[in-house]
Amino acid sequence: MLLLVFLLCTGAGTADKNLLHNGDLREGTLDSPARWRAESLRHDSKTFSWSRAPGAPGELQIISGRDVMARWSQTVNLAPGWYRLSGQLRTENIDPERGNAQIGVYAGGVIWSLPIKVTRSPDWNSGVLYFKIGTPRELPIVCVLVASRGTAHFRSILLTTTSAPPREADQVDLEAKLARFEQFTRRTIPQHFQQPTGSRWTVPATILMLLAITLSGWFGFKRGQPD
């Protein structure tokens, strides 16, 4: 009893709160898992499925017979700090040299994914990614099948706050990455046309000066000609 009271008081006996809604993929209706969106360039409903077998974790699935990109996603509002994203992934009939499947966070047009390497094995593989943001942001957490035919399965997706990650862990400072991306974008985006600045007499004065030089040269040439 004393040990139980100690654990409850220190919080060591409680699990970290998942910042994702329905991260265990147990809630939903029909083929629609609660809080998750199905997104695809071809908008084919047969590409996406959701299963929750008795006694097993719920799963998101992406099934593709074409070389396209499709994803499940959920956008979360995050405060500044470090975050830990983890999940499990397995694939079927996917050629690792032609396609890829990922779990990650989408920011700045890039998917920062868990370090899970797609292989021809049908076994489940786990991965963890730590990422940091410096300002409040809305960021999508995504499960993606990229440019490949085959099937990808995703489950046990967990997003929690955390302290600074272990030194050897996969980690990314998203704030620094996004700042560099925004700076690059500002340099490369064409600026709006701006009206010329300066005095309105500059152009007429320049024309008169060129005309005077031309006339002076012409009269000098005429005086140099023999009668």
Side-chain angles (χ1 to χ4, degrees):
M1 291 294 295
L2 291 175
L3 179 60
L4 177 61
V5 171
F6 175 76
L7 291 175
L8 291 176
C9 291
T10 59
T14 60
D16 292 329
K17 178 183 177 182
N18 195 349
L19 301 178
L20 290 169
H21 299 283
N22 192 28
D24 59 0
L25 307 171
R26 304 301 301 175
E27 302 175 11
T29 57
L30 300 177
D31 289 330
S32 179
R35 301 299 187 99
W36 291 90
R37 298 186 306 275
E39 301 170 336
S40 174
L41 296 176
R42 297 183 181 273
H43 305 289
D44 185 357
S45 60
K46 296 180 181 179
T47 299
F48 303 94
S49 63
W50 167 55
S51 65
R52 36 179 185 168
E59 293 182 24
L60 296 175
Q61 293 146 9
I62 301 177
I63 306 168
S64 179
R66 300 177 178 177
D67 297 335
V68 298
M69 174 183 288
R71 74 181 191 182
W72 289 99
S73 73
Q74 181 181 145
T75 299
V76 288
N77 293 305
L78 301 179
W82 278 101
Y83 292 87
R84 182 183 188 273
L85 177 64
S86 62
Q88 295 184 332
L89 162 68
R90 74 180 182 92
T91 59
E92 300 174 28
N93 303 319
I94 291 181
D95 183 353
E97 297 181 359
R98 297 188 57 188
N100 196 11
Q102 300 172 318
I103 301 172
V105 53
Y106 183 79
V110 178
I111 298 175
W112 306 93
S113 62
L114 308 187
I116 302 177
K117 186 177 180 180
V118 172
T119 65
R120 298 184 185 275
S121 171
D123 297 333
W124 286 100
N125 293 292
S126 303
V128 176
L129 175 71
Y130 292 84
F131 65 90
K132 178 185 178 182
I133 59 175
T135 57
R137 291 184 181 274
E138 288 188 347
L139 293 174
I141 304 300
V142 296
C143 301
V144 186
L145 178 61
V146 184
S148 178
R149 301 168 184 245
T151 303
H153 304 257
F154 312 89
R155 73 180 187 185
S156 303
I157 306 165
L158 178 65
L159 177 66
T160 60
T161 58
T162 185
S163 57
R167 182 175 300 177
E168 66 278 6
D170 283 78
Q171 55 187 280
V172 58
D173 187 340
L174 283 184
E175 203 63 34
K177 299 288 187 182
L178 292 174
R180 284 197 290 269
F181 175 77
E182 292 168 0
Q183 185 179 15
F184 173 79
T185 302
R186 286 196 297 269
R187 290 201 306 264
T188 56
I189 293 179
Q191 300 298 316
H192 293 294
F193 174 77
Q194 296 180 349
Q195 293 291 338
T197 58
S199 173
R200 60 180 179 177
W201 299 108
T202 300
V203 174
T206 301
I207 294 174
L208 290 174
M209 182 181 66
L210 293 174
L211 181 60
I213 293 173
T214 303
L215 291 175
S216 175
W218 172 256
F219 287 127
F221 173 78
K222 292 292 289 181
R223 283 197 298 271
Q225 294 294 319
D227 294 335

